[in-house]
Amino acid sequence: MCIIKKGDYKMAYKALYRTYRPSTFEEVAGQQHIVKTIKNALATGKIAHAYLFAGPRGTGKTTMAKLVAKALNCEHGIGCQCNECKNCQAINDGTHPDVLEIDAASNNGVDEIRDLIDKVKYGTILGRYKVYIIDEVHMMTPGAFNALLKTLEEPPEHVIFILATTEPHKILPTILSRCQRYDFSKVSDEDIRERIKVILEKENITYNEDAISLVISLADGGMRDALSILDQVLAYSGDKLNVKDVLDIFALESNEEKIALIESIIHGDVNDVLNRLSSYIERGTDIKRLTNDLLLMLKDVLIYGTSGNTKYLQILKEDDVRDLADEIDNKKAMEMITILMETLKDYKNVTAINPLFEVTLLKLASIHNQPTIRPSVIKEEPKVEEKVEKEPVFERKIEEKPIAKPIIQPEPVVEEEPEEDQLSLFEDDSVAHDDTVLYIKDTEVDDHYEIDDKTMVNIMVTSKKDIKNSLLENWKNLKRLAAHPKLGKTASMLIDGRPLVVSSKAMILEYQSDSVVEKMNLIKNQKDIQNVIRTVFGKKMFVFAVNRKGSISCQQTYMNLLQLGRLPKADTVNIEFVGD
Ligand SMILES: Nc1ncnc2c1ncn2[C@@H]1O[C@H](COP(=O)(O)OP(=O)(O)OP(=O)(O)O)[C@@H](O)[C@H]1O
Ligand SMILES: [Mg+2]
Ligand SMILES: [Zn+2]
């Protein structure tokens, strides 16, 4: 038989932040101006009757209130915190009859609070002072507020109020004016580090400085948060604190990965950027955090770029910041920071943040695809070839272009248009070549169509919102043809597409599946597709399909041209069908 004695129970786990609430003023991390002023007041007997502790969560307001209560009641004299006398111990345990903690957020009962406040007139039981600690005081009901106000006007000698709040602006001016106010600030990284180390050493945990830095960056100045984060990591990793575990638990990317992402962005390597994004999404990376981290890294680049000094760096190591600053000038760093700041703001207004992040990455990459204008170069060599060399995205596109036959060729002589000349389509004179002919023949050599960038852009600039909307509204009507013996398959394929761009003569549909994209673009299917569109919408329209990547690339091209001021004007673009 097994008898379990009471003392044999493994003690219930107590969170680090509760175990390590500072028990003396000396243990408080940061807030030194407050500690010093209060210690002085206690030493000189200039004790106020009401204090207001305002500041962010988990930065030591309640802690400090309890320390003040102890310093007022310790049996060894005012200002002491022996933590051994009856008063100190009872305050530490939360059982002292003269130190009353009221949580206005959970204790909304007016009567209860009023009752407590009513008792101020009675003398103390154990200590010298009755201390009322009212947490989240801005949450008090108006009735309770009034009761408090009356007492604050004429407090008895032996009563001290300590009000704490994260939202001081919500407190009535009549209350504010009766309190001595202390504003707690976020705890500095260095102070958090020092405190964390004390705790890790007491707990016999081996650690690595970089892992502590990560915890600090997650805590964002909150000491309680830092300790909770530490708790979570240690629950997973045991008695070691290392970088990998912190990254895994909080779904973070390493600094190396973030730097690699920035490198791809500044090299305009959109494919690599998008591949990286897919793996973040797969791993469940905290995208908001990643956005913020990129911002902080670029801030480091900007700080280094403007000051030439590495001592103000927040995240990046010296070598890394130097490498990045070599490639990102201050103006571009500033532009990138602005885009990331906007994105962080916009996250608050969207339900799905991944697509927003995706667009942000593309925007960032597009900054680096703009030709750098150097006045000397412009003066000496204002030639078209110069510009071409500086547009890596377009260059790469051409290398990667499949050899499939373009369906759309600039007029007038289709056969003679050289393939490698496509870059010139985006040169300043592009307006002159804007007529676009959708060239459809049964006798194409390849079996499927491939659309080129220029045509994409032409369809985009001539797109019409109202046509697209009316098409979208009636999209479900395609279902009617789903059972059609000849056109059913095609109609079903169309239903799955998402109209991306719709002009009066052509439409680009986006599909998730590559195999459907391939089928849609088969030359032999175009007739049926047009038949279905004509039957259901009464329009003659060429339909072209792209996958997600194609859709992004097409939007990217559009944005690049827009930023370069080289988009063709809609009224100069003429799209014609040929050959059907
Ligand atoms: N300045 C600090 N120095 C040392 N530890 C701190 C400090 N601030 C917070 N802590 C740790 O966090 C825990 C919670 O702190 P505390 O209750 O004082 O925060 P608070 O400012 O009152 O937060 P809230 O606004 O959420 O009430 C403490 O028990 C302690 O472990
Ligand atoms: Mg508190
Ligand atoms: Zn004591």
Side-chain angles (χ1 to χ4, degrees), residues 314-333:
Q314 215 175 332
I315 300 191
L316 288 174
K317 301 228 158 80
E318 287 191 28
D319 286 351
D320 294 329
V321 82
R322 284 203 180 96
D323 288 349
L324 288 176
D326 273 349
E327 300 189 83
I328 311 173
D329 61 28
N330 294 342
K331 187 169 165 281
K332 284 197 170 142

Side-chain angles (χ1 to χ4, degrees), residues 74-76 81-85 88:
C74 177
E75 285 166 18
H76 291 90
Q81 295 154 326
C82 75
N83 290 305
E84 276 169 7
C85 72
C88 280

Side-chain angles (χ1 to χ4, degrees), residues 4-15 19 203:
I4 301 173
K5 285 182 284 166
K6 218 176 167 190
D8 287 347
Y9 285 118
K10 197 166 190 287
M11 241 181 49
Y13 182 74
K14 197 168 159 196
T19 314
E203 295 277 315

Side-chain angles (χ1 to χ4, degrees), residues 473-484:
E473 268 168 34
N474 298 309
W475 202 245
K476 54 183 180 306
N477 292 348
L478 286 165
K479 278 192 191 144
R480 286 195 213 138
L481 277 189
H484 191 281

Side-chain angles (χ1 to χ4, degrees), residues 329 332 368-375 377-378 390:
D329 61 28
K332 284 197 170 142
H368 298 274
N369 290 330
Q370 292 170 25
T372 316
I373 299 167
R374 291 196 200 91
V377 175
I378 296 271
K390 287 173 190 155

